């Protein structure tokens, strides 16, 4: 008895611990954007671009360095000097040995430099800003792609649940029919073949019900996976399939705004980056101007006494201006400019191709969307008719007016019509999603 209580306690605890989530489509998208690793990498790319821009800006800021150095010559280098410099009577081939310098030298200095003008730096600043915009747009595109994936997964769960409810209801109806058929057979009103036939139909429907149940479990698992929830958690979708269908069928055709498409904006930025790359090589032919300054002190002696009170430090200071004029680089710079110009022309051609592709994609998405609406309405009407025929046939079968063969055929047609209707729903929802994207939304 105690073991049973402990077991029930563990079951209750596991049920309580198991997390439950209830969310709408928009809430599911927000959860997915928060947990998805791909979008997290996209945000990191934006941060990386901002640091890259800061690194580029830092090149034009003052560069300051401090340096400390100690040198020790265990033996001071010896130099040869013509002896005639000290003794005019000395032969020309006689040299005097002399040591210049002292064993210990300690120096400390601070140097600073400031870039005054560089064409490459100016172009680099513009490129860094464009690269930052590129990372932002790429992040937005990743967000939309993830939202679309979550939306599709959300739709699939709703559709499979709807299919399961439909099959569950029709299975219950056929269970009652099988029970009635068995009773009529027991009373001698039917042959056993009628019972076998209806039992086989029921078995087929139960197999389909089990398949749909597994499809529903897989659809839910995929939705939890894509939004970053543990597979062991329980989820409830708050939006109904009917409300989403009503919004998908109610529409107004719009004009595609190609410039609002992120793919177009990325192509546009790519042109800008290729143009700046070309200008970067062109500005290499301009002079580069840099100012610099340094200040420091040196202490010298036969022994290391730089930090003693009697040590004497000798100051030194320097200021200067450096101008570099490129004259000739072996035609390498010209080749780099020409290569960058080719890439720039290719980027312009790619933008035109993308523009044409987006226009064509819009027309195709609009056509598919309109066809999906017509097909949905057609399949909806067929399902209503199939349900009406199935209901009447079921009633007639119970009254003994039709055979089990006719009832099984009608049931099969009803199931096929329901399957076609489910496919039309899925096609409509996805077509509407693609159409909205083709408008630049």
């Amino acid at each position: 008895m105690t073991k049973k209580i402990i077991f029930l306690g563990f079951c209750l605890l596991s049920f309580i611990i198991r997390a439950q989530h209830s969310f709408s489509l928009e809430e599911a998208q927000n959860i997915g954007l928060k947990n998805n690793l791909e979008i997290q990498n996209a945000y990191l790319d934006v941060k990386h671009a901002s640091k890259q821009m800061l690194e580029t800006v830092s090149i034009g800021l003052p560069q300051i360095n401090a340096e400390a150095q100690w040198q020790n010559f265990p033996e001071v280098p010896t130099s040869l000097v013509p002896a005639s410099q000290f003794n005019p009577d000395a032969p020309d081939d006689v040299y005097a040995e002399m040591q210049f310098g002292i064993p210990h030298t300690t120096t400390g200095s601070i140097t600073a430099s400031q870039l005054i003008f560089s064409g490459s730096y100016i172009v680099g600043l513009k490129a860094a800003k464009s690269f930052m915009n590129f990372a932002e747009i790429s992040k937005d595109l990743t967000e939309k792609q993830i939202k679309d994936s979550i939306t599709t997964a959300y739709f699939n769960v709703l559709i499979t649940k709807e299919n399961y409810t439909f099959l569950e209801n029709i299975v219950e109806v056929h269970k009652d029919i099988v029970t009635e058929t068995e009773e009529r057979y027991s009373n001698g009103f039917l042959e056993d073949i009628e019972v076998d036939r209806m039992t086989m139909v029921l078995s087929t429907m139960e197999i389909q019900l089990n398949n749909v149940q597994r499809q529903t479990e897989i659809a839910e698992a995929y939705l939890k996976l894509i939004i970053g929830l543990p597979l062991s958690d329980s989820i409830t979708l708050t939006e109904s399939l009917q409300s989403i269908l009503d919004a998908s069928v109610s529409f107004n055709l719009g004009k595609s705004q190609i410039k609002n498409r992120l793919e177009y904006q990325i192509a546009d930025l790519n042109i800008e980056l290729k143009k700046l790359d070309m200008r970067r090589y062109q500005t290499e032919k301009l002079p580069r101007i840099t100012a610099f300054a340094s200040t420091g002190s040196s202490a010298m002696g036969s022994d290391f006494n730089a930090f003693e009170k009697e040590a004497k430090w000798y100051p030194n200071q320097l200021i200067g201006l450096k101008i570099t004029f490129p004259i000739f680089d072996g035609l390498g710079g010209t080749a780099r400019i020409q290569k960058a110009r080719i890439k720039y022309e290719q980027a312009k051609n790619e933008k035109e191709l993308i523009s044409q592709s987006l226009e064509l994609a819009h027309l195709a998405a609009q056509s598919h969307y309109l066809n999906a609406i017509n097909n949905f309405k057609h399949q909806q009407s067929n399902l209503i008719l199939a349900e009406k025929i199935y209901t009447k046939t079921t009633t007639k079968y119970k009254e003994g007016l039709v055979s089990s063969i006719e009832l099984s055929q009608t049931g099969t047609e009803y199931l096929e019509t329901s399957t076609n209707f489910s496919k039309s729903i899925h096609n409509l929802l996805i077509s509407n999603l693609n159409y909205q994207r083709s408008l630049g939304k």
Side-chain angles (χ1 to χ4, degrees):
M1 184 65 180
T2 305
K3 292 182 178 180
K4 290 184 178 180
I5 294 175
I6 295 175
F7 175 75
L8 291 174
F10 275 116
C11 291
L12 179 61
L13 182 63
S14 63
F15 177 78
I16 294 173
I17 293 176
R18 185 183 182 189
Q20 296 186 6
H21 304 274
S22 178
F23 44 75
S24 64
L25 175 57
E26 183 178 357
E27 290 170 341
Q29 291 174 340
N30 292 335
I31 295 173
L33 292 178
K34 181 180 179 181
N35 297 332
N36 189 276
L37 295 178
E38 189 175 352
I39 191 62
Q40 289 179 17
N41 281 340
Y43 281 117
L44 290 175
D45 284 339
V46 174
K47 289 184 178 180
H48 181 271
S50 66
K51 301 305 179 184
Q52 182 68 42
M53 186 172 181
L54 181 60
E55 181 182 357
T56 304
V57 171
S58 68
I59 297 175
L61 300 178
Q63 311 292 311
I64 303 174
N65 296 291
E67 181 180 339
Q69 181 176 297
W70 169 70
Q71 290 183 348
N72 176 31
F73 291 103
E75 182 154 349
V76 178
T78 300
S79 300
L80 296 179
V81 180
S84 59
Q85 292 186 1
F86 305 100
N87 183 6
D89 299 329
D92 292 339
D93 58 349
V94 176
Y95 294 89
E97 298 178 353
M98 303 187 68
Q99 290 181 319
F100 295 96
I102 53 180
H104 294 275
T105 303
T106 305
T107 61
S109 63
I110 296 177
T111 60
S113 63
Q114 172 63 55
L115 181 65
I116 296 177
F117 175 79
S118 172
S120 298
Y121 174 70
I122 296 173
V123 175
L125 285 178
K126 295 181 180 179
K129 184 177 180 180
S130 297
F131 184 72
M132 182 72 185
N133 294 335
F134 186 89
E136 288 280 359
I137 294 177
S138 297
K139 183 260 296 179
D140 293 340
L141 180 60
T142 302
E143 282 187 350
K144 284 195 173 184
Q145 292 171 343
I146 292 173
K147 282 184 176 181
D148 288 349
S149 298
I150 294 173
T151 301
T152 302
Y154 197 96
F155 291 163
N156 288 337
V157 174
L158 290 177
I159 292 173
T160 53
K161 282 182 174 292
E162 191 75 15
N163 289 341
Y164 181 82
T165 301
F166 170 80
L167 283 171
E168 190 177 33
N169 292 333
I170 199 173
V171 164
E172 290 300 322
V173 171
H174 271 263
K175 283 182 178 179
D176 294 338
I177 293 175
V178 169
T179 301
E180 292 180 11
T181 303
E182 289 175 344
E183 291 178 356
R184 292 168 66 184
Y185 166 72
S186 299
N187 294 328
F189 295 106
L190 292 176
E191 298 180 2
D192 59 348
I193 192 174
E194 296 289 333
V195 178
D196 294 340
R197 183 177 290 117
M198 296 311 301
T199 302
M200 185 176 64
V201 171
L202 176 62
S203 177
T204 301
M205 291 181 175
E206 288 176 337
I207 291 173
Q208 292 180 346
L209 179 64
N210 292 333
N211 291 338
V212 172
Q213 183 179 8
R214 284 189 288 270
Q215 290 174 5
T216 303
E217 293 172 354
I218 293 173
E220 287 186 345
Y222 180 73
L223 177 60
K224 286 185 282 188
L225 179 66
I226 199 172
I227 64 178
L229 294 178
L231 296 181
S232 58
D233 289 1
S234 176
I235 61 173
T236 301
L237 309 188
T238 59
E239 292 197 37
S240 66
L241 181 61
Q242 188 60 48
S243 63
I244 296 177
L245 280 173
D246 292 340
S248 298
V249 174
S250 177
F251 70 97
N252 290 316
L253 292 179
K255 185 177 180 181
S256 176
Q257 301 295 329
I258 297 298
K259 292 184 179 180
N260 293 339
R261 295 291 300 269
L262 296 178
E263 296 89 341
Y264 180 89
Q265 295 176 17
I266 288 177
D268 208 22
L269 267 177
N270 188 41
I271 292 179
E272 180 66 21
L273 289 171
K274 292 296 186 292
K275 185 177 181 180
L276 290 172
D277 194 41
M278 180 176 63
R279 287 182 176 176
R280 175 170 66 92
Y281 292 122
Q282 291 173 337
T283 55
E284 288 181 350
K285 298 182 179 297
L286 298 176
R288 180 184 178 93
I289 304 175
T290 306
F292 57 89
S294 68
T295 180
S297 296
S298 301
M300 296 168 282
S302 299
D303 299 317
F304 181 72
N305 59 356
F307 299 105
E308 296 180 2
K309 291 183 179 180
E310 63 273 12
K312 187 173 183 180
W313 289 81
Y314 300 91
N316 61 80
Q317 296 178 344
L318 173 69
I319 59 173
L321 187 68
K322 180 181 178 182
I323 304 178
T324 304
F325 291 94
I327 297 176
F328 182 70
D329 59 357
L331 300 179
T334 302
R336 288 191 291 271
I337 294 173
Q338 292 173 347
K339 286 167 58 180
R341 190 184 301 277
I342 292 173
K343 291 294 183 182
Y344 172 61
E345 294 298 328
Q346 286 179 333
K348 291 196 294 184
N349 292 336
E350 289 172 359
K351 177 185 175 181
E352 183 62 26
L353 287 174
I354 289 175
S355 178
Q356 295 175 2
S357 299
L358 292 176
E359 288 286 359
L360 180 60
H362 166 66
L363 295 176
Q366 179 174 284
S367 177
H368 292 159
Y369 179 45
L370 294 175
N371 290 337
I373 292 176
N374 292 332
N375 186 50
F376 166 76
K377 293 180 177 179
H378 178 72
Q379 295 297 339
Q380 189 178 41
S381 299
N382 286 347
L383 184 62
I384 294 173
L385 292 176
E387 182 182 9
K388 183 178 179 181
I389 294 172
Y390 174 73
T391 302
K392 287 184 175 181
T393 305
T394 302
T395 303
K396 288 183 178 181
Y397 177 78
K398 292 179 179 180
E399 296 173 353
L401 299 178
V402 297
S403 65
S404 58
I405 296 178
E406 188 172 352
L407 177 60
S408 62
Q409 290 176 345
T410 304
T412 301
E413 291 173 357
Y414 189 28
L415 290 176
E416 290 178 353
T417 305
S418 175
T419 301
N420 292 334
F421 180 62
S422 297
K423 291 179 180 179
S424 70
I425 291 175
H426 183 271
N427 188 33
L428 171 61
L429 297 179
I430 301 304
S431 297
N432 181 38
L433 183 64
N434 293 335
Y435 177 67
Q436 298 303 321
R437 287 289 175 262
S438 74
L439 293 175
K441 295 183 178 180

